[in-house]
Amino acid sequence: MNESEKIDLLSLLPEELEALLLSIGEPKYRARQLFPQMHRGLSPEEMTNIGKATREKLATRAFFFLPTVRRKLVSALDGTVKYLFALRDGHCVESVVMKYKHGNTICISSQVGCRMGCAFCASTIGGKQRDLSPSELIGQIIAAEKDLGARISNVVMMGIGEPLDNYDNVLQFLRLVGHEQGLNIGYRHISLSTCGLCDKIDRLAKESFPITLSISLHASDDETRSAIMPVNKKWNVDRLLASCRSYYEVTGRRISFEYTLIAGKNDSPDAALRLANLLNAKLRSPADAVTFPIHVNLIPVNPVAETGFSASDKQAVERFASILEKKGIRATVRRRLGADINASCGQLRRAEEKKDS
Ligand code: SAH
């Protein structure tokens, strides 16, 4: 069998592994041996409870691959670890592990590059190369756990790429990562960040994954938002907030908003007031004025050479936050972890690709 036609073992659920095993004349109970061990980072060749003949048969039809560490940067300031992982075809993606008191959180990538075109973002500059497979999504977590020798308890899909533009693979990833025989990470410990693909948000609401949704809003009026986020021309602010409201109503899961503050673009007191009024009007009806939890995460924009944007100063950020708070919206300013290793996603991969080309 041609290498490219082989089945990717780490993308399969136990019942799918069973079907594969049966098709090569192996008992299906072997899925219970393979699945948990692969999710701890062992390849079938390393599994002592699986005989050589079985492993060889498996290798004719399928492969096991974990992302390999191409580069690893550790922050001297806060211990944040940034990985540049190489994939089977040589493409690279970034993942970042942040250490908090309540455990380790990993930020994973969902695509090689991105086609959403946000004006401030490094990941989209070269466009999208390809989607990540379910095994490459979960492989970032397994490879990081293996390298660190530590468990990861929280996952945020906020790295390179737009997760909802890779919907089916992200869904299979969610089934894998929450599986009790595998990493068994609870859906409440997983959040997915999207620039606002409304059709997919609506679809996600109907699946039974109670994950936290994080919406990259960045502007509250269509003119400003369309200028920095092309996706707004397809799904505008009103439509996006309608999807948010219904996601909350269907799943009961809170939604948080990301708002990147760009000096002179979206950081004025007027912009803060407009944002607060809009969120209150669209997401809270008088009946649930207090209960609808709205959380805005303010992120001073990370300067990317090609974009020419600069971050709002501290005073503008604090003023913006206090206007939101006065209107009953919880606002936090994103703590910059790993500032010394340029931990925000997209830039390390770009540096690597420039070097290769
Ligand atoms: N495509 C998804 C997830 C990846 S981006 C999304 O759009 O949400 C993760 C977050 O980082 C998004 O909120 C994104 O808008 C933000 N971001 C991208 N580039 C940034 C930069 N240069 N400075 C600050 N935040 C940035």
Side-chain angles (χ1 to χ4, degrees):
M1 179 182 263
N2 188 317
E3 269 312 295
S4 63
E5 289 165 7
K6 283 189 178 173
I7 295 169
D8 181 357
L9 289 172
L10 194 57
S11 281
L12 303 182
L13 287 160
E15 54 270 30
E16 294 164 335
L17 276 172
E18 285 179 0
L20 171 67
L21 287 159
L22 289 175
S23 77
I24 56 169
E26 285 289 324
K28 65 180 191 180
Y29 74 81
R30 293 215 181 281
R32 276 200 156 265
Q33 300 173 317
L34 281 165
F35 188 86
Q37 294 191 93
M38 288 195 300
H39 288 247
R40 289 208 318 272
L42 292 182
S43 71
E45 288 74 53
E46 295 168 299
M47 297 178 191
T48 51
N49 57 351
I50 297 195
K52 192 160 176 255
T54 306
R55 286 189 264 119
E56 282 175 358
K57 233 194 285 178
L58 208 54
T60 61
R61 292 281 300 278
F63 70 92
F64 173 87
F65 181 82
L66 269 189
T68 58
V69 180
R70 170 76 67 92
R71 285 187 70 193
K72 176 182 176 184
L73 305 175
V74 183
S75 166
L77 301 174
D78 50 43
T80 297
V81 183
K82 178 161 191 165
Y83 291 102
L84 183 71
F85 282 124
L87 307 172
R88 200 162 170 248
D89 63 0
H91 275 305
C92 290
V93 290
E94 297 173 27
S95 321
V96 180
V97 178
M98 294 151 286
K99 298 179 175 172
Y100 296 106
K101 277 191 224 85
H102 57 263
N104 294 320
T105 295
I106 190 167
C107 172
I108 62 168
S109 294
S110 55
Q111 296 175 318
V112 181
C114 184
R115 58 181 182 139
M116 295 296 126
C118 298
F120 43 82
C121 182
S123 303
T124 200
I125 292 170
K128 182 183 97 168
Q129 307 299 316
R130 67 171 177 85
D131 289 328
L132 294 191
S133 64
S135 84
E136 290 166 335
L137 293 165
I138 199 165
Q140 295 169 67
I141 308 176
I142 299 170
E145 284 195 340
K146 200 171 167 183
D147 180 73
L148 294 171
R151 284 301 311 262
I152 286 169
S153 50
N154 293 274
V155 181
V156 298
M157 307 191 80
M158 268 194 195
I160 297 167
E162 167 51 49
L164 295 185
D165 187 39
N166 183 15
Y167 190 86
D168 293 338
N169 290 345
V170 164
L171 233 67
Q172 176 74 348
F173 159 73
L174 291 174
R175 291 182 202 108
L176 291 167
V177 77
H179 201 283
E180 58 186 15
Q181 287 178 41
L183 295 180
N184 198 11
I185 298 177
Y187 293 117
R188 280 156 210 282
H189 296 273
I190 299 177
S191 56
L192 182 152
S193 181
T194 177
C195 63
L197 301 181
C198 291
D199 54 342
K200 301 291 172 31
I201 295 174
D202 298 347
R203 242 174 101 184
L204 187 66
K206 295 191 200 106
E207 320 267 2
S208 47
F209 299 111
I211 58 173
T212 303
L213 202 57
S214 194
I215 303 289
S216 297
L217 194 58
H218 306 323
S220 58
D221 65 278
D222 283 330
E223 197 190 336
T224 313
R225 194 165 191 269
S226 293
I228 53 175
M229 300 180 73
V231 66
N232 196 70
K233 292 174 195 153
K234 180 149 193 205
W235 311 103
N236 69 11
V237 174
D238 255 14
R239 177 69 179 79
L240 178 56
L241 293 179
S243 283
C244 291
R245 167 125 212 162
S246 97
Y247 186 87
Y248 174 76
E249 282 169 357
V250 173
T251 64
R253 294 297 296 149
R254 84 185 157 83
I255 295 184
S256 60
F257 295 90
E258 309 287 314
Y259 195 99
T260 294
L261 289 163
I262 307 171
K265 281 249 178 255
N266 63 356
D267 65 341
S268 67
D270 260 6
L273 200 59
R274 238 184 300 127
L275 173 65
N277 288 339
L278 180 80
L279 294 179
N280 280 327
K282 297 287 175 190
L283 299 178
R284 288 171 162 155
S285 54
D288 60 11
V290 193
T291 52
F292 195 104
I294 306 180
H295 178 202
V296 175
N297 210 338
L298 297 170
I299 318 159
V301 76
N302 217 322
V304 174
E306 291 88 336
T307 66
F309 293 141
S310 51
S312 311
D313 60 31
K314 197 161 171 254
Q315 209 187 347
V317 174
E318 279 167 9
R319 196 175 52 200
F320 202 97
S322 82
I323 293 170
L324 295 181
E325 293 276 357
K326 276 196 202 107
K327 290 276 179 181
I329 291 169
R330 200 158 80 87
T332 48
V333 179
R334 167 82 54 86
R335 198 155 59 97
R336 263 200 92 191
L337 290 173
D340 55 332
I341 54 168
N342 204 356
S344 313
C345 268
Q347 308 204 33
L348 195 57
R349 175 181 155 261
R350 277 189 55 70
E352 189 72 13
E353 295 213 330
K354 275 187 197 156
K355 203 169 75 187
D356 287 349
S357 61

